[in-house]
């Protein structure tokens, strides 16, 4: 995991080893979620389905994540978090075994949904655990470590899965992920601390946590995450055929380009982890606007193979730079309900991960070509920039209102008082 590299304004805050273990587990989850982009073509040939239909397996996983995150977060709210993580990771591992053995497209589709449900629950509970183990001004750093597992999955796991799919059949990639999940399970058993379920006034109450959905800032954060994710995965889900059919790259080059995308994601996670705690909205603006530009350029220049390769790397950087900020923003907006905050962030990410590939598939089926998916992504990213602007205005207005409610009779700080420390989510 990119430990020391993700230090920013919270450099003095120590991150416990259990957060890194969660990042390791996310490596297995992320490899499974994204590896289909590298094995889409051999999988489609073997199962006798079209590329757009095979692409729906990406959406199937995302749908399971959307449903599973809030449902499992609510269902396990009063259970020990460590026990929940162990059970969900074991279920995910079994889902990968079922996918490896699937005799038909339909069985594989169902196995993807089941695996996604377990993955969603792990993400939601794991994010809440990671945030609970660090101070408030290190939340983006903790999330950057978890997202680092996702980035490394794209650097190593996804290209390795693509290579395995080409050399030993696509099923071998599922067996490999099952083995990775087993390693993560051992790590959680050994290193994630046991936590007692809060009792009395501190006991988690679903009705109390559900109140976060009355806050428009939560909904704006949800929309921003969904649009940003949809923009990236409208393109990423069909990156392999775009590279081969439009840019003219040999199919054997696809794992290397996917590795470059993942390397860009790791770089972006490092950047986002360093700056997001101190410049939350600035990171969101800059990263999403940059993604919009990269996607538009890719739509225009995809036929030039070296340009397409360079832009795939840049998209990884811009997309993952925003990740820590988007997650920290959700936890800030829904601070009173950390478990549902993690679930909502996971669900909103995968709403985008569902809609993006679906819209990209519609563009391909309409005969617009694989380059059209980059235009779909650019439009969604532009929408995410707009949502960030609205969210920033609402956030600023709420702070003004909160400031106006301070008792006027309170004495002013004496001139000799040291300057007040800036809030961790102040831009």
């Amino acid at each position: 995991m990119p430990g020391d590299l993700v230090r920013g304004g919270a450099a003095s805050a120590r991150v416990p080893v259990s957060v890194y273990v969660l990042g390791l587990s996310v490596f297995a989850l992320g490899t499974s979620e994204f590896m289909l982009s590298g094995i889409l073509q051999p999988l489609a040939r073997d199962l006798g389905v079209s590329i757009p239909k095979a692409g729906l397996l990406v959406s199937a996983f995302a749908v399971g994540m959307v449903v599973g995150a809030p449902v499992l977060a609510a269902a396990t709210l009063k259970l020990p978090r460590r026990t929940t993580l162990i059970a969900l990771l074991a279920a995910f591992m079994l889902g990968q075994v079922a996918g490896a053995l699937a005799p038909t497209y339909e069985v594989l589709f169902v196995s993807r949904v089941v695996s996604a449900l377990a993955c969603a629950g792990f993400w939601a509970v794991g994010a809440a655990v990671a945030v609970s183990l660090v101070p408030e001004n290190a939340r983006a750093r903790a999330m950057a470590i978890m997202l680092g597992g996702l980035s490394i999955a794209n650097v190593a796991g996804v290209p390795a899965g693509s290579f395995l799919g080409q050399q030993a059949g696509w099923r071998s990639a599922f067996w490999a992920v099952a083995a990775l999940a087993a390693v993560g399970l051992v790590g959680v058993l050994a290193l994630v601390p046991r936590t007692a379920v809060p009792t009395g006034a501190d006991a988690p109450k679903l009705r109390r946590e559900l109140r976060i959905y009355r806050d428009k800032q939560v909904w704006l954060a949800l929309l921003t995450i969904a649009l940003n994710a949809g923009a990236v995965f409208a393109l990423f889900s069909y990156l392999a055929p775009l590279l081969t059919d439009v840019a003219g790259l040999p199919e054997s080059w696809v794992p290397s380009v996917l590795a470059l995308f993942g390397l860009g994601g790791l770089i972006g996670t490092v950047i986002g982890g360093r700056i997001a705690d101190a410049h939350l909205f600035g990171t969101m603006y800059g990263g999403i606007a940059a993604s919009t530009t990269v996607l538009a350029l890719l739509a225009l220049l995809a036929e030039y193979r070296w340009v397409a390769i360079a832009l795939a790397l840049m998209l990884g950087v811009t997309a993952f730079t925003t990740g820590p900020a988007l997650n920290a923003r959700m936890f800030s907006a829904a601070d009173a309900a950390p478990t549902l905050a993690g679930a909502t962030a996971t669900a909103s990410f995968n709403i985008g991960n569902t809609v993006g590939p679906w819209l990209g598939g519609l563009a391909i089926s309409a005969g617009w070509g694989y380059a059209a998916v980059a235009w779909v992504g650019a439009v969604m990213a532009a929408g995410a920039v707009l949502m960030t602007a609205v969210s920033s205005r609402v956030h600023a207005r709420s702070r003004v209102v909160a400031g106006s409610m301070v008792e006027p009779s309170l004495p002013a700080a004496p001139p000799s008082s040291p300057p007040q420390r800036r809030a961790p989510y102040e831009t």
Side-chain angles (χ1 to χ4, degrees):
M1 299 302 103
D4 294 337
L5 296 178
V6 293
R7 292 176 183 167
S12 61
R14 294 186 61 186
V15 176
V17 67
S18 53
V19 176
Y20 292 89
V21 170
L22 294 173
L24 174 64
S25 300
V26 167
F27 171 68
L29 305 182
T31 299
S32 176
E33 183 169 5
F34 304 131
M35 71 182 180
L36 285 189
S37 63
I39 60 174
L40 206 60
Q41 291 156 303
L43 185 152
R45 286 194 296 264
D46 184 49
L47 296 179
V49 297
S50 66
I51 291 292
K53 187 172 182 179
L56 289 177
L57 291 169
V58 178
S59 295
F61 198 98
V63 168
M65 293 281 284
V66 170
V67 175
V71 170
L72 287 172
T76 62
L77 193 62
K78 296 184 180 182
L79 297 178
R81 286 175 171 174
R82 180 175 178 272
T83 302
T84 302
L85 292 174
I86 291 168
L88 291 170
L89 198 52
F92 172 81
M93 180 180 66
L94 294 176
Q96 299 308 295
V97 172
L101 298 172
T104 65
Y105 173 86
E106 290 73 21
V107 174
L108 180 59
F109 191 96
V110 173
S111 75
R112 293 295 286 171
V113 174
V114 172
S115 296
L117 291 172
C119 181
F122 188 93
W123 258 109
V125 178
V129 170
V131 168
S132 71
L133 294 173
V134 298
E136 185 177 348
N137 67 328
R139 285 176 171 177
R141 184 183 170 203
M143 292 309 303
I145 291 169
M146 287 194 68
L147 289 170
L150 200 61
S151 300
I152 296 172
N154 281 286
V155 172
V158 173
S162 178
F163 179 80
L164 277 174
Q166 292 176 6
Q167 303 299 318
W170 61 269
R171 296 177 189 275
S172 63
F174 282 83
W175 286 116
V177 172
L180 286 173
V183 173
L185 183 59
V186 171
V188 172
L189 282 166
L191 297 170
V192 172
R194 297 177 184 272
T195 55
V197 180
T199 58
D202 294 329
K205 294 180 175 61
L206 181 59
R207 181 178 298 180
R208 182 172 60 197
E209 293 223 355
L210 286 172
R211 290 174 186 166
I212 65 170
Y213 296 118
R214 299 177 184 176
D215 190 341
K216 68 176 67 176
Q217 296 192 65
V218 171
W219 289 101
L220 288 169
L222 187 155
L223 285 171
T224 305
I225 294 173
L227 285 168
N228 183 68
V232 176
F233 287 99
L235 182 283
F236 185 76
S237 299
Y238 301 100
L239 182 57
L242 182 144
L243 291 170
T244 56
D245 290 20
V246 180
L249 289 172
E251 195 170 314
S252 60
W253 284 36
V254 170
S256 298
V257 180
L258 292 176
L260 280 177
F261 176 89
L263 177 61
L266 183 58
I267 294 169
T269 301
V270 170
I271 295 171
R274 289 180 65 89
I275 66 177
D277 281 307
H279 306 287
L280 191 69
F281 283 106
T283 305
M284 291 165 62
Y285 273 125
I288 301 172
S291 292
T292 306
T293 302
V294 170
L295 286 163
L297 288 172
L298 192 54
L300 293 169
L301 304 172
E303 62 185 290
Y304 303 102
R305 62 172 58 183
W306 294 111
V307 175
I309 291 171
L311 289 173
L313 169 66
M314 288 305 302
L315 183 61
V317 174
T318 60
F320 280 82
T321 294
T322 61
L326 290 169
N327 279 276
R329 172 59 185 155
M330 180 63 79
F331 277 97
S332 176
D335 188 60
T339 303
L340 281 187
T344 303
T346 301
S348 54
F349 175 84
N350 285 281
I351 288 171
N353 204 5
T354 304
V355 175
W358 174 65
L359 290 176
L362 288 180
I364 295 168
S365 298
W368 296 345
Y370 289 114
V373 299
W375 283 123
V376 172
V379 171
M380 296 185 77
V385 173
L386 177 61
M387 286 299 101
T388 301
V390 175
S391 182
S392 179
R393 288 178 63 87
V394 171
H395 174 73
R397 190 178 303 122
S398 67
R399 292 186 60 198
V400 169
V401 171
S404 68
M405 296 173 65
V406 176
E407 291 287 345
S409 59
L410 291 177
S416 59
S417 297
Q420 295 295 312
R421 182 179 177 276
R422 188 166 66 172
Y425 297 110
E426 186 174 343
T427 57

